[in-house]
Amino acid sequence: MTLTTESAGAPTPYAPPEPGTVVVYRGATLFDGTGGPARPGTSIVVDGPLIRAVVPDGDPAASVEGADVVDLTGRFVTPGLIDAHQHLATPPDRPAAEAVLRRLAHSGVTGVRDMADDLRQIGDLARAALVGEIAGPDIHYAALMAGPGFFDDPRTHQVTRGAVPGEVPWMQAVTDATDLPLAVALARGTHASAIKVYADLDAALVTAVTAEAHRQGIPVWAHAAVFPATPGQVVAAGVDTVSHVTLLAHETADRPLTSYRDKPPVDHASLVTGADARLDALFARMRERGVILDATAALWSSAELAGDERAESNSELAVALTVQAHRAGVELATGTDHETPPGDPFPALYDELAFLVRRCGIPERDVLRSATLVGARGAGVGHLTGSVEPGKLADLAVFARDPLADIDHLRTITLTVKRGRRLPRADFATDLSREPR
């Protein structure tokens, strides 16, 4: 059998348009994600999957003969949003994952970080979303490394069925005896975007894994405390991002950390003041090193945890520590680590952004930058997406009302543009109405 680029295959209704297919989005008020003010009367010229120009409507560059013109007068445009913490295949369920991805894509989300799953399925979902077989954000996924003790966790068995947890390239148990150059190479062979350092590793091993990963050109995404490695040791190891703001509380533990299963209690009463000197020092180091915090701040306030006393306590802690981190200048990414129910028209990412604004008091402008450019940088693709600039991917979210004025205006999404392909919200609303409840 001879294979060519023209070989028959799965249909690609969501494929990026070819270069030379020019679309001008005219009349928008643009928040470009770079930190500047919103720009009214702006035209975005898209050529295939890329942005060619971002100029005032009257600029000659906005007039392209033969271009398709989309009038966005009265509309508000941001870069495509990034969910910095998803799990799409624990356990693998292809129809459920595709439904989540479709909802994300039609809600302005053009990228996600998948933070360890069964990469046999995630790799194919990422391919299908990239080439346009399915509607979905670009998926940037991690291969996990942890100490041997972690692999009794039932989730590790869900994502390695047919194999042995800890002994597959996407979920490896590492010790002092591990051949780290080989382990990292195996992880890279899954086409992972990063290595996730999870649990039951001491400071020396976290540092060694991070150094080897960076030597091989792959970033490291870590839990904020790895047990026995403390948050301070994780940051000192040189990781690129840390996840779960409440885990940072273990920097203040009054006894050494031991294992993932044996987390010491934290002094909740003192930490909810958001004024702990030990955490101030930690946040200063994170800012200096450019470590991004994937806070998952709203995780403990999700609907399924309503009324749970422990969840409410952790939610208070998440608010206090997220505020302290933001005040210290730490860059925040917007991860969720959960999803809203299948019948909900909007994703959990909207709730995370609203939590950061309403509960943490972070301005909408900062939160939207966290959900775009900072999220893209955390995923390792800030050079490709996350802001609306010439040469970057045409990843855009279009809203009927201004999300800078009220973060709940995210729910007025009318259009997503992902790699230049238009995904009207109306199409998803029609699909949603046909799905069984």
Side-chain angles (χ1 to χ4, degrees):
M1 179 175 65
T2 301
L3 295 177
T4 72
T5 56
E6 302 301 320
S7 294
T12 53
Y14 305 103
E18 293 294 325
T21 304
V22 180
V23 180
V24 180
Y25 297 91
R26 181 168 292 163
T29 296
L30 172 65
F31 172 81
D32 66 16
T34 64
R39 299 153 59 180
T42 299
S43 289
I44 305 162
V45 182
V46 173
D47 187 339
L50 300 177
I51 298 169
R52 179 196 291 183
V54 183
V55 295
D57 287 335
D59 191 291
S63 298
V64 180
E65 186 175 355
D68 183 10
V69 177
V70 178
D71 185 5
L72 296 183
T73 301
R75 296 289 194 257
F76 300 85
V77 176
T78 72
L81 306 176
I82 310 288
D83 186 335
H85 201 123
Q86 273 279 348
H87 291 282
L88 296 164
T90 301
D93 182 334
R94 183 67 179 248
E98 288 192 19
V100 168
L101 292 170
R102 184 168 63 251
R103 178 173 62 183
L104 287 167
H106 283 92
S107 300
V109 182
T110 56
V112 300
R113 286 199 316 167
D114 188 284
M115 298 296 286
D117 271 312
D118 190 332
L119 296 193
R120 293 170 295 188
Q121 179 163 115
I122 293 299
D124 190 53
L125 285 168
R127 179 201 60 79
L130 180 65
V131 302
E133 291 174 4
I134 62 175
D138 286 341
I139 304 172
H140 313 285
Y141 55 88
L144 183 143
M145 291 186 183
F150 170 66
F151 290 92
D152 287 339
D153 188 304
R155 294 170 297 176
T156 68
H157 295 260
Q158 291 176 335
V159 301
T160 57
R161 291 186 64 184
V164 178
E167 297 181 11
V168 294
W170 63 93
M171 194 140 298
Q172 297 184 64
V174 297
T175 69
D176 291 334
T178 298
D179 181 341
L180 286 181
L182 177 60
V184 171
L186 287 170
R188 290 179 62 223
T190 67
H191 207 59
S193 301
I195 289 171
K196 181 178 181 180
V197 174
Y198 194 92
D200 294 351
L201 298 174
D202 62 22
L205 259 178
V206 176
T207 299
V209 168
T210 302
E212 181 57 33
H214 287 169
R215 189 187 72 82
Q216 294 194 35
I218 188 168
V220 175
W221 304 338
H223 261 197
V226 177
F227 305 98
T230 67
Q233 291 169 334
V234 171
V235 169
V239 303
D240 299 279
T241 73
V242 296
S243 293
H244 305 308
V245 68
T246 54
L247 288 179
L248 292 171
H250 292 286
E251 184 70 1
T252 69
D254 58 6
R255 63 173 172 84
L257 307 186
T258 54
S259 71
Y260 180 73
R261 291 178 178 166
D262 182 29
K263 301 180 182 72
V266 299
D267 186 355
H268 181 272
S270 69
L271 291 175
V272 295
T273 65
D276 188 283
R278 292 162 295 183
L279 289 175
D280 277 335
L282 175 63
F283 291 138
R285 290 195 297 274
M286 290 174 65
R287 183 189 67 245
E288 291 162 4
R289 291 172 174 265
V291 178
I292 292 172
L293 173 59
D294 160 32
T296 62
L299 175 62
W300 294 100
S301 65
S302 56
E304 59 268 27
L305 295 175
D308 182 280
E309 185 176 337
R310 176 171 174 263
E312 290 177 0
S313 177
N314 276 326
S315 190
E316 290 179 358
L317 184 61
V319 170
L321 300 190
T322 302
V323 169
Q324 192 174 353
H326 180 257
R327 185 175 63 232
V330 174
E331 294 270 45
L332 301 177
T334 53
T336 56
D337 200 19
H338 71 287
E339 259 306 339
T340 50
D344 194 308
F346 298 109
L349 183 61
Y350 284 13
D351 297 332
E352 177 73 14
L353 271 60
F355 187 94
L356 293 172
V357 172
R358 306 210 186 286
R359 294 288 303 277
C360 300
I362 301 174
E364 283 91 346
R365 181 177 305 279
D366 291 353
V367 168
L368 284 172
R369 183 175 176 276
S370 291
T372 54
L373 186 56
V374 178
R377 288 173 176 167
V381 291
H383 60 299
L384 297 175
T385 189
S387 58
V388 181
E389 300 179 84
K392 285 195 169 184
L393 291 170
D395 291 344
L396 311 171
V398 182
F399 305 93
R401 302 181 69 184
D402 185 3
L404 288 172
D406 185 335
I407 200 66
D408 285 343
H409 290 167
L410 293 172
R411 297 171 186 270
T412 69
I413 181 80
T414 63
L415 175 69
T416 304
V417 181
K418 190 251 180 155
R419 290 180 175 258
R421 174 61 61 190
R422 294 200 291 273
L423 300 170
R425 176 70 185 186
D427 290 354
F428 174 71
T430 299
D431 290 345
L432 188 66
S433 69
R434 293 172 177 164
E435 290 181 0
R437 300 294 178 93

